[in-house]
Amino acid sequence: MVSRKSKKAIIISKFNRRYKHCMEDILNYYADVATQENDIVKIQLKDIDFEQMTFSFRHEMVEFEILKPVRYENDKVCKNWGEVESTVVDMCRKAAASKHLSSICLKKIVYPDGPLDLLLVLGVCLLFLARYQPDFVYDTLLSKIPYVEKLRPWNTEMLIATAIIHIIEMWVCLRPKLTYYRVPIDYQLEWYCCAMLDGYMSANRLERYVKHIKGRYFNFEDETLSIEAPVVDSDSEL
């Protein structure tokens, strides 16, 4: 059984390590603190109890640390730590929704793994290779496949058309999801590279992964019981 003190410490630790974006959302929505406009930095959850959360942050115009208590929605008073957890998670989701964003900050790249994904990647790679080594591709690699030779004159056009289609799919299907799930720029670049190879399948793969981890993203159990690090904003990914 986790004690009252240790449970409180675990919640504070998880917020400060994994759910930093949620703290900013809560300050924006429930405390009217414009964090981005006011150059507020070093936001931390300082304390939490059955009635409120207390955040600390710094401002470039103020020398000392600022403390901001935020009461639970509708001045709710929780009866136990389980209720505290569900209350703050609901507040995280509501605050994120006010920005038209997910409460999930996804720091993860899921590479092509399904048969269709890999087939699309192989097709694009062959088109690209045939652009510079047409004899090797059409006379050696694909020589035994009927009618493939007839595609040789159109290889460049097919490659350009594929690139255009994938760019459109990337812009229309993938880009909004990367924004919604707050994917950091370095991970976004990897997602875009994958989308250039398999187009819409990258967006579909991202959505499937989010559905897979959505129900266990907020986890306030002990570290030994936590979900795997890539799902959330773990220390190794910050």
Side-chain angles (χ1 to χ4, degrees):
M1 179 67 69
V2 180
S3 70
R4 180 178 184 275
K5 183 177 179 180
S6 63
K7 189 64 174 179
K8 174 179 179 177
I10 289 171
I11 294 174
I12 291 174
S13 174
K14 290 294 182 73
F15 262 96
N16 289 330
R17 290 177 48 217
R18 298 184 170 184
Y19 309 127
K20 292 182 178 182
H21 59 289
C22 294
M23 294 191 290
E24 186 170 341
D25 291 345
I26 290 173
L27 284 172
N28 294 160
Y29 185 74
Y30 289 100
D32 292 324
V33 176
T35 51
Q36 294 182 345
E37 292 82 350
N38 292 321
D39 297 322
I40 288 174
V41 296
K42 296 184 179 180
I43 301 173
Q44 287 189 316
L45 179 59
K46 207 73 170 179
D47 192 21
I48 187 169
D49 56 36
F50 289 172
E51 297 182 2
Q52 66 183 18
M53 296 174 280
T54 301
F55 297 96
S56 68
F57 53 85
R58 290 190 175 274
H59 190 283
E60 61 178 8
M61 301 297 291
V62 181
E63 294 183 1
F64 52 85
E65 185 179 65
I66 301 172
L67 295 179
K68 182 66 177 179
V70 178
R71 292 189 64 83
Y72 297 141
E73 195 167 23
N74 300 321
D75 290 327
K76 179 178 180 179
V77 178
C78 298
K79 299 177 181 178
N80 52 59
W81 286 108
E83 191 173 355
V84 169
E85 292 175 9
S86 61
T87 298
V88 296
V89 169
D90 288 343
M91 290 175 67
C92 290
R93 289 171 176 162
K94 187 171 182 178
S98 71
K99 295 181 175 181
H100 306 289
L101 296 172
S102 171
S103 57
I104 293 174
C105 178
L106 187 65
K107 294 186 177 184
K108 174 77 174 181
I109 175 70
V110 183
Y111 295 107
D113 53 1
L116 184 56
D117 299 27
L118 296 174
L119 186 62
L120 285 170
V121 171
L122 177 62
V124 172
C125 291
L126 286 174
L127 286 173
F128 184 80
L129 180 61
R131 175 71 177 81
Y132 300 97
Q133 298 290 335
D135 292 339
F136 174 70
V137 173
Y138 288 101
D139 296 339
T140 304
L141 291 180
L142 306 178
S143 60
K144 296 184 179 181
I145 302 177
Y147 308 111
V148 168
E149 177 63 28
K150 295 182 179 180
L151 300 176
R152 185 197 289 250
W154 303 97
N155 187 89
T156 301
E157 287 78 2
M158 289 190 297
L159 180 61
I160 294 173
T162 300
I164 292 173
I165 291 171
H166 285 184
I167 289 172
I168 293 173
E169 291 176 335
M170 181 173 64
W171 186 260
V172 174
C173 302
L174 180 61
R175 184 182 62 88
K177 295 182 187 296
L178 295 178
T179 300
Y180 182 70
Y181 292 114
R182 308 167 188 251
V183 179
I185 186 63
D186 51 342
Y187 287 93
Q188 285 191 32
L189 293 175
E190 291 191 66
W191 278 106
Y192 285 136
C193 288
C194 287
M196 285 301 298
L197 294 174
D198 63 5
Y200 170 76
M201 298 305 295
S202 285
N204 190 44
R205 198 163 56 250
L206 185 151
E207 195 64 42
R208 287 202 317 268
Y209 182 75
V210 169
K211 288 181 180 179
H212 174 65
I213 60 99
K214 190 174 183 178
R216 56 199 178 97
Y217 179 76
F218 287 101
N219 185 307
F220 297 104
E221 298 298 327
D222 196 357
E223 288 296 330
T224 57
L225 303 176
S226 294
I227 52 181
E228 64 271 20
V231 172
V232 294
D233 305 347
S234 67
D235 291 344
S236 62
E237 296 176 298
L238 295 176

